[in-house]
Amino acid sequence: MVPLSQIWTVASYVLSKKLRGEKRYPLVLMLEPLFRCNLACAGCGKIQYPDHILNRRLTPEQCWKAAEECGAPIVSIAGGEPLVHKEIDRIVAGLIERKKYIYLCTNAILLRKRIDLFKPSKYLTFSIHLDGLKEEHDESVCREGVYETAVEGIREAVKRGFRVTINCTLFDGVDPQRVRAFFDEAMNLGIEGIMVSPGYSYQKAPDQEHFLQRNNTRELFRQILKERKKSWKFNLSPLFLEFLQGNIEYDCTPWGNPTYNIFGWQKPCYLLQDGYVKSFKELIENTPWEKYGYRSGNPKCANCMVHSGYEATAVNDTFGSWKGFVKTVKASLS
Ligand code: SF4
């Protein structure tokens, strides 16, 4: 279960922003300290850069400065593969010192080798990339044996007392029954919870055929989540799961998960690259936000229902009013 201290930190942060009348504030910093990865997944939009870009790294100091600048209570360290970064332990330690709740997103290939660099903490969660059971995951990452390596990594991290979640991206054509079986298997590994999201159709990704369209997404999630098992725990807002099933209409909150990487602050969101700016202030003040999100009519946003765009909307709904809070409690109990 997510520690109460984390829930309290996020709730009090949102309430303080509301009380101050701030319209746009971040919830999760998406920190990409490098783009280099030790896999080459078909649905990835991040690793198609030339070598001289893949060889660049953010320094720990740049990472800490970005976290301080934007002030989000949660930092998701993505990439590329963060465990490839030689100073990932220093980056994590500095963020913990700043009391940030960190989700270190990893394919877990290097987890057993590098786990001694870290100490269990309520602030640190290993968020392991797994897109399904062995067959589906190995196909998704285009390499045999990665599922088993990831499972060994999860077992080791759980045994040592780390917080562990899985993050799972679903693409068109997945079998809902296989996804349900995968959720059972994942929970049996002793993880804290599941993060699940439909994939986004990156224009740079090699496999363009298997991204989900909006209606397919809703239908898929309705089938996966009907008669939801009590043993499944989700590391997501209950309202985001309602949104995925088409039970709630939301628009995106593109500034909710701002992205910082070797190019600077990425406009406008984790998925689109409409330019970069030097400071977080510039990102918030100079991005034409009205041009993004489902309701804007922007074709790049038409089929997007991803976690990094819509979870912030769901969290704001939960903590923004009593009505939203009651809705969340009801969704949690359903
Ligand atoms: S709808 Fe998706 S692609 Fe568009 S701004 Fe939001 S997160 Fe980005």
Side-chain angles (χ1 to χ4, degrees):
M1 206 180 133
V2 177
L4 275 177
S5 61
Q6 182 176 330
I7 298 172
W8 174 248
T9 300
V10 173
S12 51
Y13 171 83
V14 172
L15 287 172
S16 73
K17 295 288 180 187
K18 297 254 177 217
L19 286 173
R20 271 189 245 148
E22 279 183 46
K23 202 171 153 207
R24 296 193 177 106
Y25 48 87
L27 277 171
V28 180
L29 166 63
M30 306 297 287
L31 183 64
E32 298 179 318
L34 78 175
F35 289 125
R36 174 75 72 189
C37 188
N38 46 4
L39 282 175
C41 308
C44 181
K46 302 277 172 179
I47 52 158
Q48 287 75 27
Y49 289 105
D51 264 348
H52 71 276
I53 300 287
L54 293 177
N55 289 339
R56 285 179 60 189
R57 308 283 185 264
L58 286 178
T59 64
E61 289 73 17
Q62 285 173 308
C63 294
W64 306 331
K65 184 170 172 278
E68 283 168 5
E69 214 185 314
C70 92
I74 296 176
V75 179
S76 175
I77 307 180
E81 168 54 49
L83 292 182
V84 167
H85 195 300
K86 288 205 165 60
E87 292 185 283
I88 189 63
D89 51 335
R90 278 194 67 216
I91 294 173
V92 167
L95 292 172
I96 290 177
E97 249 172 59
R98 287 161 179 80
K99 296 195 171 13
K100 300 295 177 189
Y101 285 90
I102 303 156
Y103 286 86
L104 195 157
C105 305
T106 171
N107 57 36
I109 291 177
L110 292 171
L111 185 55
R112 281 180 14 134
K113 199 169 160 199
R114 306 207 75 191
I115 200 163
D116 287 331
L117 295 175
F118 306 96
K119 283 198 201 94
S121 158
K122 68 175 182 179
Y123 290 108
L124 173 63
T125 304
F126 288 114
S127 175
I128 314 290
H129 171 206
L130 275 186
D131 284 346
L133 292 164
K134 179 178 165 25
E135 197 180 299
E136 286 83 357
H137 184 63
D138 285 355
E139 191 185 333
S140 170
V141 301
C142 308
R143 195 192 294 176
E144 270 291 309
V146 175
Y147 180 86
E148 273 160 17
T149 307
V151 164
E152 283 166 17
I154 291 173
R155 287 210 168 99
E156 186 63 29
V158 168
K159 193 173 87 188
R160 290 181 182 223
F162 285 98
R163 294 180 62 193
V164 182
T165 58
I166 55 155
N167 68 73
C168 162
T169 306
L170 298 180
F171 296 91
D172 201 12
V174 292
D175 174 353
Q177 293 311 319
R178 297 271 301 168
V179 177
R180 290 174 67 91
F182 166 58
F183 286 176
D184 287 338
E185 195 161 305
M187 291 309 308
N188 284 339
L189 293 170
I191 60 164
E192 180 180 297
I194 299 164
M195 298 170 98
V196 61
S197 175
Y200 177 76
S201 161
Y202 282 107
Q203 285 162 340
K204 285 191 198 149
D207 179 358
Q208 288 291 318
E209 275 174 36
H210 292 108
F211 292 110
L212 283 157
Q213 305 292 307
R214 221 172 168 84
N215 282 337
N216 298 356
T217 301
R218 293 186 180 123
E219 186 48 36
L220 174 67
F221 278 91
R222 274 199 285 266
Q223 289 187 38
I224 294 170
L225 297 173
K226 76 177 170 207
E227 291 157 26
R228 200 178 313 173
K229 296 192 183 173
K230 291 261 179 297
S231 55
W232 298 348
K233 304 284 176 234
F234 290 93
N235 218 277
L236 292 166
S237 155
L239 295 185
F240 177 65
L241 291 178
E242 292 300 303
F243 163 73
L244 288 179
Q245 295 169 88
N247 300 333
I248 297 184
E249 265 305 326
Y250 281 143
D251 203 0
C252 165
T253 303
W255 55 85
N257 287 30
T259 300
Y260 183 75
N261 57 38
I262 56 165
F263 300 122
W265 293 94
Q266 180 170 303
K267 283 165 55 172
C269 67
Y270 183 60
L271 305 159
L272 303 180
Q273 289 164 296
D274 285 354
Y276 289 86
V277 288
K278 285 204 180 113
S279 71
F280 178 70
K281 190 169 181 288
E282 236 178 309
L283 176 79
I284 288 293
E285 290 176 2
N286 297 347
T287 305
W289 298 111
E290 68 288 353
K291 292 191 179 158
Y292 300 102
Y294 178 67
R295 288 184 199 139
S296 70
N298 186 332
K300 291 178 190 162
C301 300
N303 287 310
C304 176
M305 294 177 79
V306 303
H307 171 258
S308 60
Y310 289 85
E311 167 85 343
T313 314
V315 171
N316 275 319
D317 193 10
T318 298
F319 297 119
S321 67
W322 278 112
K323 214 170 126 199
F325 188 71
V326 171
K327 228 176 354 178
T328 307
V329 172
K330 278 190 189 154
S332 316
L333 299 174
S334 67

